[in-house]
Amino acid sequence: MIIPWKDLSNEAIEGIIEEFIMREGTDYGEVEVSFNDKKDQLLQQLKSGEVVLVFSELHETVNLMPAKTFSPDVSRAG
C-alpha cells in the first residue's frame, strides 16, 4: 500500500531515505554522488511524486519505489 509521505514526520522520512540509500549500496556511476546529495534527490523525487513510499504488509517493510513502475496490484498483494 502507498503511504502518503506528508503523513510522516520529517524524522521518519529522513530515516527511511537514509536506510534506503545504505541498503542500495555504493554508487559506481560516472559521477560519485554524496550521501547528502542522494538524500536531497530522493526527498525531491518523493515530493514531486516520482517516487512513492510503499508498505509491504507481507514483509512489514517500507520501500521507495518509482511511481511509474508501481502497480496498484502490489498494494493488494502486500
Side-chain angles (χ1 to χ4, degrees), residues 51-62:
V51 171
V52 292
L53 287 170
V54 179
F55 176 72
S56 168
E57 294 172 357
L58 178 63
H59 299 103
E60 297 183 353
T61 58
V62 176

Side-chain angles (χ1 to χ4, degrees), residues 11-29:
E11 293 81 15
I13 293 168
E14 186 173 337
I16 291 167
I17 289 173
E18 287 177 359
E19 191 275 333
F20 179 82
I21 293 169
M22 291 187 292
R23 183 171 16 118
E24 290 301 305
T26 304
D27 181 13
Y28 292 106

Side-chain angles (χ1 to χ4, degrees), residues 1-5 8 16 19-20 23 46 49-78:
M1 99 178 63
I2 293 178
I3 301 170
W5 67 269
L8 301 176
I16 291 167
E19 191 275 333
F20 179 82
R23 183 171 16 118
L46 193 58
E50 283 181 73
V51 171
V52 292
L53 287 170
V54 179
F55 176 72
S56 168
E57 294 172 357
L58 178 63
H59 299 103
E60 297 183 353
T61 58
V62 176
N63 200 11
L64 296 170
M65 295 180 63
K68 67 181 179 182
T69 60
F70 181 78
S71 168
D73 293 339
V74 172
S75 66
R76 281 187 239 121

Side-chain angles (χ1 to χ4, degrees), residues 15-43:
I16 291 167
I17 289 173
E18 287 177 359
E19 191 275 333
F20 179 82
I21 293 169
M22 291 187 292
R23 183 171 16 118
E24 290 301 305
T26 304
D27 181 13
Y28 292 106
E30 199 170 306
V31 177
E32 187 67 27
V33 179
S34 76
F35 186 80
N36 286 333
D37 286 345
K38 288 180 187 181
K39 280 177 44 178
D40 292 342
Q41 290 172 2
L42 278 169
L43 183 57

